[in-house]
Amino acid sequence: METAQAAEGHTGKANGIGAYLAKHLREYGLLFALIAIMAFFQIVTDGTLLRPVNITNLFLQNSYIIIMALGMLVVIVSGNIDLSVGSVMGFIGALAAVMIVELDLPVYMTIPACLIVGMGIGAAQGYFVAYWKIPSFIVTLAGMLVFRGLSLWLLEGQSVGPFPKSFQLLSTGFIPDIFGIGRPNGTALAAGLVAVALIIWLGVRDRTHNRRYGMELEPPAFFFVRNVIVAGALLFIAYKLSTFRGLPNVLISMVLLTVIYAFVTENTTLGRRIYALGGNEKAAKLSGIKTERLTFLAFINMGMLAALAGLIFAARLNTATPKAGFAVELDVIAAVFIGGASMSGGVGKIVGAVVGAFIMGVMNNGMSIMGIGIDYQQVIKGLVLLAAVFFDVYNKQKQG
Amino acid sequence: MTPLLEMRSITKTFPGVKALDAVNLSVAEGEIHALVGENGAGKSTLMKVLSGVYPAGSYDGEIHYDGHLASFGGIKDSESVGIIIIHQELALVPLLSIAENLFLGNECARNGVVNWRETFQRTEGLLRKVGLAETPSTLVDSLGVGKQQLVEIAKALSKDVRLLILDEPTAALSESDSQALLDLLLELKAHGVTSIIISHKLNEVRRIADSVTVIRDGAVISTMDARTEDITEDRIVRDMVGRDMAHRYPARQRRAGEPLMEVRNWNVWHPEHSDRQVIRNANLTVRAGEVVGIAGLMGSGRTELAMSIFGRSYGRNISGEVLMRGKPVDVSTVDRAIGAGLAYVTEDRKSLGLILDETIERNITLANLPAVSGRGVISEARETQVAEKYREAMNIRTPSVFQKVVNLSGGNQQKVVLSKWLFAGPDVLILDEPTRGIDVGAKFEIYNIINELSAEGKGVIMISSEMPEMLGMCDRIYVMNEGALVGEMPAEEASQERIMSLIVRV
Ligand SMILES: Nc1ncnc2c1ncn2[C@@H]1O[C@H](COP(=O)(O)OP(=O)(O)OP(=O)(O)O)[C@@H](O)[C@H]1O
Ligand SMILES: [Mg+2]
């Protein structure tokens, strides 16, 4: 219908906005899906979802998924997949427990050591994928079994804990109020304001750039509404957090990592090359891109982030258990696909993956509050994943 | 006589592009109708409308076929009335046999069980009809493009074709394969099959077409009937590009300077069959400002030679030396080869040259990202400037450089690949079939660019299956046969006959 209209020569405003929306339905859809899901759970949980404690919990509970989703997005964009991240995360948690609790090694040594081990694991898997061209599905499936087994062996089937206070801070610490107000927490409020200002500034800057180079412009109304929603949500969350204990440490690391990864993937030559590699490996290679090395790096990066997630997870539970990280890879991968990445590589955005992870997180959290059994939870999450990807494919077909 | 096909006032719009604007096309039963026009004129789009790739409702206008108003919801619908399209890009499954490909989706099967005997028998019959001497169980993968094209036609015949549409069927074929294909079309015509053929090779059009329709910018410019009037190539060209083109090749000034690139004792073995030597002791020199051609039949090893030099992208056990300005250089990986001043424009733009789902802009800058970035951070502004510059210089037809490459017409995609390598700023540019699927006007532009490069003192190596192009553009021509460079001659002394005789003599 869209084309028929255009053919008749109506270039009216309504048509422009309609066409724009049709083309970018996926991105707006994701944002609206998150809002709708939050609204839904807010209502059915009688307002529990957005209580300050629960918002704080949402971040604490999901931080490790979000952190791994960053790495997974890069891996998937490069045209691969990593099934081992759950096991690696559990293994690193176990390693940290053994090092700190059983061997009495200091925390400041354990953390870097664990990150390096994570990178080593990523390098080992990436080596086979990149240089021996073994499909990543197989290599990391093997890795998933190996590291699941190794964490059982490390922990001898037991839970190991508790951790010293300094290690727990990794996950349960909060940023103190630098303004000395206490409650509401001034730092949290200020951070919210700064974030809003930054986002609006970046948005406007992008818009001027797009206008200057004749790129497609988001209709002003959309730009405005979208920014109002995002800004409102940020301020709301900042306010809620400030009335509890302020900004959790993990939130800061999460935001920092997200910004860094979004920047690297979207604005650097490194990021561009990874997209090219996933888009068409042969063409990328013939353009002088070191495709093997990039694949290798993507896995090393994934290993490091899985290790970080393992540390944060162990710190939060204050113990390392043999079951830690079990089946987490599925949530991470689902988050990335819900966020709009394509299985065949070359497509996907960091912000999408993070929003996807939040959608999974809110659903996990909301359903737990409602007391829905783990059985139904799995069913619902599975259907949401399918729906999201179906929406993608359907959209693409309609346009093509 | 009412025509077999009449398309009336077809209009098709894509976001930002009016690809077809009230196009009328009338094709009589039993004729060969040629559709010609510049890259991006809308030829492929028109045929996709006809064959239901773009279903009824996604365009305006009417299609009358065989006396009825037709409305195809998909390709199956058009096939059921005998309209078969063979796309610009071949659509065979490489790792299936000829027989399996022929009957794919249309298997000779009872209750889902394939009857292999019947399949093979019918395949043999069809292969005989198209004159392809291969066994039905041969994997399509192992056939050259020419033979694959014949398999496509056999596949069309298996579906009781009445109207056969061929989108640039000879673009990737050698001279002799093209001849065979055209003969086959004439033979099908004798059996009552109507065809529409899209081609940029005007000599072929003249040879076989009964009528010719010229499309420019989505509108029909003229329709000529070869049975009642004399259709000259010049006339077609004039209608295509909207002006007279006195020459097909721009004038060239020869100015061969110092040796720029030398390849010495180059040997390459096949990547899988390690006992097969693909390139035998090749020696080749390109001087500054020189355009050097490598002539040869398809499969003679020209592409393999070029790709093995360009970062060992082909073959194994490679030995030999590459010198730039007299000094040995390392070309063992693609980025080193680029660093040494080489660029290679592949003949296979879809799978080796482009990232189809990316924008024009990002494809153009891919091989030279550092030039649009500082400290590893890409400057979008600079990137867009570069892309705009090449869009203008190469006359890439597109509403914007942020268009995805997959949405461009074949010829315009080729211009994007060329832009990418021009932007990489090489000293020696290796062009592998650079004008494949490109219209006469754009060819002229590309020749001009080649001349500009050589005027700047750069070297160009041109691999082409179009002999006139080689003779028209090159200063010196090497002849390659079965992996060896068997001869070399200055362009003045070269002729089609001399080149062929060198190939045959060996
Ligand atoms: N899916 C699409 N989306 C947007 N634009 C398109 C799409 N397909 C084709 N176009 C545009 O429509 C125009 C006509 O394209 P078409 O492929 O029909 O050209 P063509 O005459 O076959 O050219 P060539 O000789 O290069 O193959 C071009 O400008 C092209 O960019
Ligand atoms: Mg075409």
Side-chain angles (χ1 to χ4, degrees), chain A residues 3-4 6-7 209 213-215 263 267-269 272-273 275-276 279-280 282-290 396 400, chain B residues 13 60 310 313 334-335 338 350-352 354-355 362 366-367 369 373 376-378 380-381 383-385 402 420-421:
Chain A
T3 25
H209 171 267
Y213 292 100
M215 283 169 85
F263 179 79
N267 294 305
T268 65
T269 53
R272 178 66 60 78
R273 287 174 176 151
Y275 281 89
N280 183 346
K282 285 185 193 156
K285 196 161 187 185
L286 273 177
S287 301
I289 291 171
K290 298 179 186 118
K396 229 184 174 167
Chain B
T13 331
D60 287 343
F310 190 62
S313 303
V334 175
D335 62 302
I338 294 174
K350 290 247 157 148
S351 64
L352 302 181
L354 292 166
I355 297 171
R362 292 179 167 210
L366 189 62
L369 281 174
S373 51
V377 178
I378 296 173
E380 282 188 50
E383 189 172 31
T384 308
Q385 276 165 3
F402 311 111
K420 169 167 97 175
W421 287 113

Short mmCIF file of all heavy atoms in Angstrom, two decimals, chain A residues 3-4 6-7 209 213-215 263 267-269 272-273 275-276 279-280 282-290 396 400, chain B residues 13 60 310 313 334-335 338 350-352 354-355 362 366-367 369 373 376-378 380-381 383-385 402 420-421:
data_model
loop_
_atom_site.label_atom_id
_atom_site.label_comp_id
_atom_site.label_asym_id
_atom_site.label_seq_id
_atom_site.Cartn_x
_atom_site.Cartn_y
_atom_site.Cartn_z
N THR A 3 3.78 1.69 -1.28
CA THR A 3 4.33 1.98 -2.60
C THR A 3 3.26 2.56 -3.52
O THR A 3 3.52 3.46 -4.28
CB THR A 3 4.88 0.70 -3.26
OG1 THR A 3 4.21 -0.39 -2.69
CG2 THR A 3 6.35 0.60 -3.06
N ALA A 4 2.06 2.00 -3.43
CA ALA A 4 0.98 2.49 -4.29
C ALA A 4 0.77 3.97 -4.04
O ALA A 4 0.65 4.76 -4.96
CB ALA A 4 -0.30 1.71 -4.02
N ALA A 6 2.88 6.12 -2.81
CA ALA A 6 4.01 6.91 -3.27
C ALA A 6 3.94 7.07 -4.77
O ALA A 6 4.25 8.11 -5.32
CB ALA A 6 5.31 6.23 -2.87
N ALA A 7 3.50 6.01 -5.44
CA ALA A 7 3.44 6.05 -6.89
C ALA A 7 2.47 7.11 -7.38
O ALA A 7 2.68 7.72 -8.42
CB ALA A 7 3.03 4.68 -7.43
N HIS A 209 24.29 16.68 12.12
CA HIS A 209 25.16 15.99 11.17
C HIS A 209 24.34 15.37 10.05
O HIS A 209 24.64 15.53 8.88
CB HIS A 209 25.98 14.92 11.88
CG HIS A 209 26.73 14.04 10.93
ND1 HIS A 209 26.21 12.86 10.47
CD2 HIS A 209 27.92 14.21 10.31
CE1 HIS A 209 27.08 12.32 9.63
NE2 HIS A 209 28.11 13.11 9.51
N TYR A 213 24.42 16.27 5.91
CA TYR A 213 24.82 15.38 4.84
C TYR A 213 23.64 14.73 4.14
O TYR A 213 23.79 13.72 3.46
CB TYR A 213 25.80 14.33 5.37
CG TYR A 213 27.08 15.01 5.74
CD1 TYR A 213 27.37 15.32 7.06
CD2 TYR A 213 27.94 15.42 4.74
CE1 TYR A 213 28.52 16.02 7.37
CE2 TYR A 213 29.09 16.11 5.05
CZ TYR A 213 29.38 16.40 6.36
OH TYR A 213 30.50 17.08 6.66
N GLY A 214 22.47 15.30 4.35
CA GLY A 214 21.32 14.82 3.58
C GLY A 214 20.91 13.40 3.92
O GLY A 214 20.34 12.69 3.11
N MET A 215 21.26 12.96 5.12
CA MET A 215 20.81 11.63 5.53
C MET A 215 19.37 11.72 5.96
O MET A 215 18.87 12.78 6.30
CB MET A 215 21.66 11.12 6.69
CG MET A 215 23.01 10.63 6.28
SD MET A 215 24.05 10.35 7.69
CE MET A 215 23.58 8.70 8.13
N PHE A 263 30.43 2.86 21.45
CA PHE A 263 31.33 3.75 20.71
C PHE A 263 32.25 2.95 19.79
O PHE A 263 32.39 3.26 18.61
CB PHE A 263 32.15 4.59 21.69
CG PHE A 263 33.11 5.51 21.00
CD1 PHE A 263 32.67 6.71 20.45
CD2 PHE A 263 34.45 5.17 20.87
CE1 PHE A 263 33.54 7.55 19.80
CE2 PHE A 263 35.34 6.01 20.22
CZ PHE A 263 34.88 7.21 19.69
N ASN A 267 31.71 3.67 15.97
CA ASN A 267 32.51 4.82 15.52
C ASN A 267 33.96 4.53 15.19
O ASN A 267 34.66 5.43 14.78
CB ASN A 267 32.47 5.93 16.58
CG ASN A 267 31.08 6.51 16.71
OD1 ASN A 267 30.49 6.95 15.74
ND2 ASN A 267 30.55 6.46 17.91
N THR A 268 34.41 3.32 15.39
CA THR A 268 35.83 3.10 15.13
C THR A 268 36.03 2.18 13.93
O THR A 268 35.13 1.46 13.52
CB THR A 268 36.53 2.44 16.35
OG1 THR A 268 35.97 1.15 16.52
CG2 THR A 268 36.32 3.26 17.60
N THR A 269 37.24 2.21 13.41
CA THR A 269 37.55 1.34 12.28
C THR A 269 37.45 -0.12 12.72
O THR A 269 37.01 -0.97 11.96
CB THR A 269 38.97 1.62 11.77
OG1 THR A 269 39.87 1.54 12.86
CG2 THR A 269 39.06 3.00 11.16
N ARG A 272 33.84 -1.08 12.60
CA ARG A 272 33.39 -1.17 11.22
C ARG A 272 33.85 -2.47 10.58
O ARG A 272 33.15 -3.14 9.85
CB ARG A 272 33.93 0.02 10.44
CG ARG A 272 33.58 0.04 8.98
CD ARG A 272 32.10 0.23 8.78
NE ARG A 272 31.61 1.45 9.33
CZ ARG A 272 31.74 2.64 8.76
NH1 ARG A 272 32.36 2.76 7.61
NH2 ARG A 272 31.25 3.71 9.32
N ARG A 273 35.09 -2.83 10.89
CA ARG A 273 35.64 -4.03 10.27
C ARG A 273 34.95 -5.29 10.78
O ARG A 273 34.79 -6.26 10.04
CB ARG A 273 37.14 -4.10 10.54
CG ARG A 273 37.88 -3.08 9.72
CD ARG A 273 39.35 -3.01 10.04
NE ARG A 273 39.98 -2.07 9.13
CZ ARG A 273 41.04 -1.37 9.43
NH1 ARG A 273 41.62 -1.50 10.60
NH2 ARG A 273 41.56 -0.54 8.56
N TYR A 275 31.79 -5.49 11.61
CA TYR A 275 30.53 -5.58 10.86
C TYR A 275 30.78 -6.09 9.44
O TYR A 275 30.03 -6.89 8.90
CB TYR A 275 29.82 -4.22 10.81
CG TYR A 275 29.08 -3.89 12.09
CD1 TYR A 275 29.71 -3.24 13.13
CD2 TYR A 275 27.76 -4.28 12.25
CE1 TYR A 275 29.04 -2.95 14.31
CE2 TYR A 275 27.07 -4.00 13.41
CZ TYR A 275 27.72 -3.33 14.44
OH TYR A 275 27.04 -3.07 15.60
N ALA A 276 31.86 -5.58 8.84
CA ALA A 276 32.18 -6.01 7.48
C ALA A 276 32.46 -7.51 7.44
O ALA A 276 31.98 -8.23 6.57
CB ALA A 276 33.38 -5.23 6.95
N GLY A 279 29.30 -9.27 7.63
CA GLY A 279 28.45 -9.03 6.46
C GLY A 279 28.86 -9.87 5.27
O GLY A 279 28.02 -10.41 4.56
N ASN A 280 30.14 -9.97 5.03
CA ASN A 280 30.65 -10.79 3.93
C ASN A 280 32.13 -11.02 4.18
O ASN A 280 32.96 -10.19 3.87
CB ASN A 280 30.42 -10.09 2.59
CG ASN A 280 30.87 -10.95 1.42
OD1 ASN A 280 31.57 -11.94 1.59
ND2 ASN A 280 30.45 -10.56 0.23
N LYS A 282 34.39 -12.97 2.89
CA LYS A 282 35.32 -13.02 1.76
C LYS A 282 35.61 -11.62 1.23
O LYS A 282 36.77 -11.28 0.96
CB LYS A 282 34.72 -13.86 0.64
CG LYS A 282 34.76 -15.34 0.92
CD LYS A 282 34.26 -16.06 -0.32
CE LYS A 282 33.97 -17.51 -0.03
NZ LYS A 282 32.99 -18.04 -1.00
N ALA A 283 34.55 -10.83 1.09
CA ALA A 283 34.75 -9.47 0.58
C ALA A 283 35.58 -8.66 1.57
O ALA A 283 36.43 -7.86 1.18
CB ALA A 283 33.42 -8.79 0.33
N ALA A 284 35.34 -8.87 2.86
CA ALA A 284 36.10 -8.16 3.88
C ALA A 284 37.57 -8.52 3.76
O ALA A 284 38.46 -7.67 3.78
CB ALA A 284 35.58 -8.49 5.26
N LYS A 285 37.83 -9.80 3.60
CA LYS A 285 39.20 -10.26 3.52
C LYS A 285 39.89 -9.65 2.30
O LYS A 285 41.03 -9.19 2.38
CB LYS A 285 39.22 -11.78 3.42
CG LYS A 285 40.54 -12.34 3.70
CD LYS A 285 40.50 -13.79 4.07
CE LYS A 285 41.93 -14.12 4.48
NZ LYS A 285 42.15 -15.47 4.78
N LEU A 286 39.20 -9.64 1.18
CA LEU A 286 39.78 -9.07 -0.04
C LEU A 286 39.89 -7.56 0.03
O LEU A 286 40.41 -6.93 -0.88
CB LEU A 286 38.95 -9.48 -1.25
CG LEU A 286 39.32 -10.81 -1.88
CD1 LEU A 286 38.40 -11.13 -3.03
CD2 LEU A 286 40.77 -10.81 -2.36
N SER A 287 39.33 -6.95 1.08
CA SER A 287 39.51 -5.51 1.25
C SER A 287 40.64 -5.23 2.22
O SER A 287 40.80 -4.11 2.68
CB SER A 287 38.23 -4.87 1.77
OG SER A 287 37.18 -5.10 0.89
N GLY A 288 41.39 -6.25 2.55
CA GLY A 288 42.55 -6.06 3.41
C GLY A 288 42.27 -6.15 4.88
O GLY A 288 43.10 -5.76 5.70
N ILE A 289 41.09 -6.67 5.24
CA ILE A 289 40.77 -6.78 6.66
C ILE A 289 41.27 -8.12 7.18
O ILE A 289 41.09 -9.15 6.54
CB ILE A 289 39.24 -6.64 6.85
CG1 ILE A 289 38.85 -5.21 6.53
CG2 ILE A 289 38.83 -7.03 8.25
CD1 ILE A 289 37.37 -4.98 6.47
N LYS A 290 41.91 -8.07 8.35
CA LYS A 290 42.46 -9.30 8.90
C LYS A 290 41.35 -10.07 9.61
O LYS A 290 41.19 -9.97 10.83
CB LYS A 290 43.61 -8.98 9.85
CG LYS A 290 44.75 -8.28 9.15
CD LYS A 290 45.86 -7.95 10.13
CE LYS A 290 46.93 -7.13 9.46
NZ LYS A 290 47.10 -5.80 10.04
N LYS A 396 11.13 -7.42 7.41
CA LYS A 396 12.07 -7.41 6.32
C LYS A 396 11.37 -7.84 5.04
O LYS A 396 11.57 -7.27 3.99
CB LYS A 396 13.21 -8.37 6.64
CG LYS A 396 14.55 -7.71 6.41
CD LYS A 396 15.66 -8.68 6.63
CE LYS A 396 16.98 -8.05 6.25
NZ LYS A 396 18.09 -8.83 6.74
N GLY A 400 11.06 -5.83 1.57
CA GLY A 400 11.75 -6.33 0.37
C GLY A 400 10.72 -6.53 -0.70
O GLY A 400 10.85 -6.31 -1.83
N THR B 13 7.58 1.92 -7.79
CA THR B 13 8.37 2.83 -6.96
C THR B 13 9.01 2.09 -5.80
O THR B 13 8.38 1.25 -5.17
CB THR B 13 7.47 3.93 -6.36
OG1 THR B 13 6.39 4.14 -7.24
CG2 THR B 13 8.22 5.20 -6.17
N ASP B 60 1.82 -0.30 -10.17
CA ASP B 60 0.62 0.14 -10.88
C ASP B 60 0.73 -0.28 -12.34
O ASP B 60 1.82 -0.39 -12.88
CB ASP B 60 0.52 1.68 -10.82
CG ASP B 60 0.13 2.14 -9.45
OD1 ASP B 60 -0.36 1.29 -8.67
OD2 ASP B 60 0.32 3.33 -9.14
N PHE B 310 47.58 -10.84 -5.37
CA PHE B 310 46.95 -9.92 -4.42
C PHE B 310 46.74 -10.61 -3.06
O PHE B 310 45.67 -11.11 -2.74
CB PHE B 310 45.60 -9.46 -4.98
CG PHE B 310 44.97 -8.33 -4.22
CD1 PHE B 310 45.59 -7.10 -4.10
CD2 PHE B 310 43.75 -8.49 -3.60
CE1 PHE B 310 45.02 -6.07 -3.40
CE2 PHE B 310 43.15 -7.46 -2.89
CZ PHE B 310 43.79 -6.24 -2.80
N SER B 313 45.40 -14.54 -2.24
CA SER B 313 43.99 -14.81 -2.03
C SER B 313 43.54 -16.06 -2.77
O SER B 313 42.40 -16.47 -2.67
CB SER B 313 43.16 -13.62 -2.51
OG SER B 313 43.58 -12.47 -1.83
N VAL B 334 46.55 -9.63 2.09
CA VAL B 334 45.87 -8.60 1.31
C VAL B 334 46.27 -7.21 1.80
O VAL B 334 46.55 -6.32 1.00
CB VAL B 334 44.35 -8.77 1.38
CG1 VAL B 334 43.67 -7.61 0.66
CG2 VAL B 334 43.95 -10.08 0.74
N ASP B 335 46.34 -7.03 3.12
CA ASP B 335 46.65 -5.66 3.56
C ASP B 335 48.08 -5.27 3.22
O ASP B 335 48.38 -4.10 2.96
CB ASP B 335 46.33 -5.47 5.05
CG ASP B 335 47.14 -6.37 5.92
OD1 ASP B 335 47.07 -7.60 5.73
OD2 ASP B 335 47.87 -5.87 6.80
N ILE B 338 47.93 -4.30 -0.43
CA ILE B 338 47.38 -2.96 -0.55
C ILE B 338 48.44 -1.93 -0.17
O ILE B 338 48.64 -0.92 -0.83
CB ILE B 338 46.12 -2.79 0.33
CG1 ILE B 338 44.99 -3.69 -0.18
CG2 ILE B 338 45.66 -1.33 0.34
CD1 ILE B 338 43.77 -3.70 0.71
N LYS B 350 29.39 -9.72 -6.31
CA LYS B 350 28.42 -10.05 -5.25
C LYS B 350 29.07 -10.78 -4.10
O LYS B 350 28.84 -10.46 -2.94
CB LYS B 350 27.30 -10.91 -5.82
CG LYS B 350 26.42 -10.15 -6.75
CD LYS B 350 25.04 -9.98 -6.19
CE LYS B 350 24.44 -8.80 -6.85
NZ LYS B 350 23.04 -8.81 -7.05
N SER B 351 29.84 -11.81 -4.41
CA SER B 351 30.34 -12.59 -3.28
C SER B 351 31.73 -12.17 -2.84
O SER B 351 32.09 -12.43 -1.70
CB SER B 351 30.29 -14.09 -3.59
OG SER B 351 31.14 -14.38 -4.64
N LEU B 352 32.50 -11.49 -3.69
CA LEU B 352 33.84 -11.12 -3.27
C LEU B 352 34.08 -9.62 -3.19
O LEU B 352 35.03 -9.17 -2.59
CB LEU B 352 34.88 -11.72 -4.23
CG LEU B 352 34.87 -13.23 -4.38
CD1 LEU B 352 35.96 -13.67 -5.33
CD2 LEU B 352 35.07 -13.91 -3.03
N LEU B 354 31.54 -6.97 -2.57
CA LEU B 354 30.67 -6.06 -1.85
C LEU B 354 30.11 -6.69 -0.58
O LEU B 354 29.99 -7.90 -0.48
CB LEU B 354 29.47 -5.67 -2.73
CG LEU B 354 29.77 -4.82 -3.95
CD1 LEU B 354 28.58 -4.81 -4.89
CD2 LEU B 354 30.13 -3.41 -3.53
N ILE B 355 29.75 -5.81 0.34
CA ILE B 355 28.95 -6.25 1.47
C ILE B 355 27.55 -5.74 1.17
O ILE B 355 27.25 -4.57 1.31
CB ILE B 355 29.51 -5.71 2.77
CG1 ILE B 355 30.90 -6.31 2.94
CG2 ILE B 355 28.63 -6.09 3.94
CD1 ILE B 355 31.68 -5.74 4.05
N ARG B 362 29.66 2.90 3.12
CA ARG B 362 30.53 2.02 3.89
C ARG B 362 31.29 1.05 3.01
O ARG B 362 32.38 0.61 3.36
CB ARG B 362 29.72 1.27 4.94
CG ARG B 362 29.23 2.21 6.01
CD ARG B 362 28.41 1.52 7.03
NE ARG B 362 28.24 2.40 8.19
CZ ARG B 362 28.08 1.97 9.42
NH1 ARG B 362 28.07 0.68 9.67
NH2 ARG B 362 27.93 2.81 10.41
N LEU B 366 35.65 0.95 2.75
CA LEU B 366 36.10 -0.24 3.50
C LEU B 366 37.58 -0.56 3.35
O LEU B 366 38.24 -0.93 4.32
CB LEU B 366 35.26 -1.45 3.09
CG LEU B 366 35.47 -2.68 3.94
CD1 LEU B 366 35.08 -2.40 5.38
CD2 LEU B 366 34.68 -3.85 3.40
N ALA B 367 38.12 -0.39 2.14
CA ALA B 367 39.51 -0.80 1.95
C ALA B 367 40.49 0.29 2.37
O ALA B 367 41.69 0.09 2.33
CB ALA B 367 39.75 -1.18 0.49
N LEU B 369 39.90 2.60 5.35
CA LEU B 369 39.28 3.27 6.49
C LEU B 369 40.19 4.30 7.16
O LEU B 369 39.72 5.35 7.58
CB LEU B 369 38.80 2.24 7.52
CG LEU B 369 37.47 1.55 7.17
CD1 LEU B 369 37.18 0.45 8.18
CD2 LEU B 369 36.33 2.55 7.16
N SER B 373 39.57 8.35 9.00
CA SER B 373 39.50 8.31 10.45
C SER B 373 40.77 8.85 11.06
O SER B 373 41.81 8.94 10.41
CB SER B 373 39.24 6.88 10.92
OG SER B 373 40.15 6.01 10.33
N GLY B 376 41.86 5.82 14.73
CA GLY B 376 40.93 4.69 14.75
C GLY B 376 39.48 5.07 14.91
O GLY B 376 38.62 4.20 14.94
N VAL B 377 39.19 6.37 15.01
CA VAL B 377 37.80 6.78 15.12
C VAL B 377 37.36 7.35 13.77
O VAL B 377 37.99 8.26 13.23
CB VAL B 377 37.60 7.85 16.21
CG1 VAL B 377 36.15 8.30 16.27
CG2 VAL B 377 38.04 7.28 17.56
N ILE B 378 36.28 6.77 13.24
CA ILE B 378 35.83 7.18 11.91
C ILE B 378 35.13 8.53 11.98
O ILE B 378 34.30 8.76 12.84
CB ILE B 378 34.87 6.13 11.35
CG1 ILE B 378 35.62 4.81 11.15
CG2 ILE B 378 34.28 6.60 10.02
CD1 ILE B 378 34.74 3.67 10.76
N GLU B 380 32.44 10.51 10.43
CA GLU B 380 31.31 10.30 9.53
C GLU B 380 31.26 11.37 8.45
O GLU B 380 30.90 11.12 7.32
CB GLU B 380 30.00 10.31 10.31
CG GLU B 380 29.74 9.03 11.05
CD GLU B 380 28.33 9.03 11.63
OE1 GLU B 380 27.39 9.33 10.89
OE2 GLU B 380 28.20 8.75 12.83
N ALA B 381 31.63 12.57 8.83
CA ALA B 381 31.57 13.67 7.87
C ALA B 381 32.51 13.42 6.72
O ALA B 381 32.14 13.50 5.56
CB ALA B 381 31.92 14.98 8.57
N GLU B 383 33.73 10.62 5.80
CA GLU B 383 33.32 9.42 5.08
C GLU B 383 32.24 9.77 4.05
O GLU B 383 32.27 9.34 2.90
CB GLU B 383 32.78 8.39 6.08
CG GLU B 383 32.53 7.05 5.46
CD GLU B 383 32.20 6.00 6.50
OE1 GLU B 383 31.62 6.35 7.55
OE2 GLU B 383 32.50 4.82 6.26
N THR B 384 31.28 10.59 4.50
CA THR B 384 30.21 10.96 3.59
C THR B 384 30.72 11.80 2.43
O THR B 384 30.31 11.62 1.29
CB THR B 384 29.13 11.73 4.37
OG1 THR B 384 28.77 10.97 5.50
CG2 THR B 384 27.90 11.94 3.51
N GLN B 385 31.66 12.68 2.72
CA GLN B 385 32.23 13.49 1.64
C GLN B 385 32.87 12.61 0.58
O GLN B 385 32.66 12.81 -0.61
CB GLN B 385 33.30 14.43 2.20
CG GLN B 385 32.73 15.71 2.78
CD GLN B 385 33.76 16.44 3.64
OE1 GLN B 385 34.90 16.02 3.76
NE2 GLN B 385 33.33 17.53 4.24
N PHE B 402 23.55 6.53 1.30
CA PHE B 402 23.19 5.70 2.46
C PHE B 402 22.27 4.56 2.05
O PHE B 402 21.77 3.81 2.88
CB PHE B 402 22.55 6.55 3.55
CG PHE B 402 23.35 7.78 3.85
CD1 PHE B 402 22.90 9.04 3.53
CD2 PHE B 402 24.60 7.65 4.43
CE1 PHE B 402 23.67 10.16 3.77
CE2 PHE B 402 25.38 8.77 4.67
CZ PHE B 402 24.91 10.03 4.35
N LYS B 420 35.55 1.86 -4.52
CA LYS B 420 36.25 1.40 -3.33
C LYS B 420 37.74 1.31 -3.61
O LYS B 420 38.56 1.78 -2.81
CB LYS B 420 35.72 0.03 -2.91
CG LYS B 420 36.56 -0.66 -1.86
CD LYS B 420 35.84 -1.83 -1.26
CE LYS B 420 36.24 -3.12 -1.91
NZ LYS B 420 35.64 -4.27 -1.24
N TRP B 421 38.10 0.75 -4.76
CA TRP B 421 39.52 0.54 -5.01
C TRP B 421 40.21 1.81 -5.50
O TRP B 421 41.39 1.99 -5.27
CB TRP B 421 39.71 -0.63 -5.96
CG TRP B 421 39.42 -1.89 -5.21
CD1 TRP B 421 38.38 -2.75 -5.42
CD2 TRP B 421 40.13 -2.39 -4.08
NE1 TRP B 421 38.41 -3.75 -4.50
CE2 TRP B 421 39.47 -3.57 -3.66
CE3 TRP B 421 41.26 -1.98 -3.37
CZ2 TRP B 421 39.90 -4.31 -2.57
CZ3 TRP B 421 41.69 -2.73 -2.29
CH2 TRP B 421 41.01 -3.88 -1.90
#
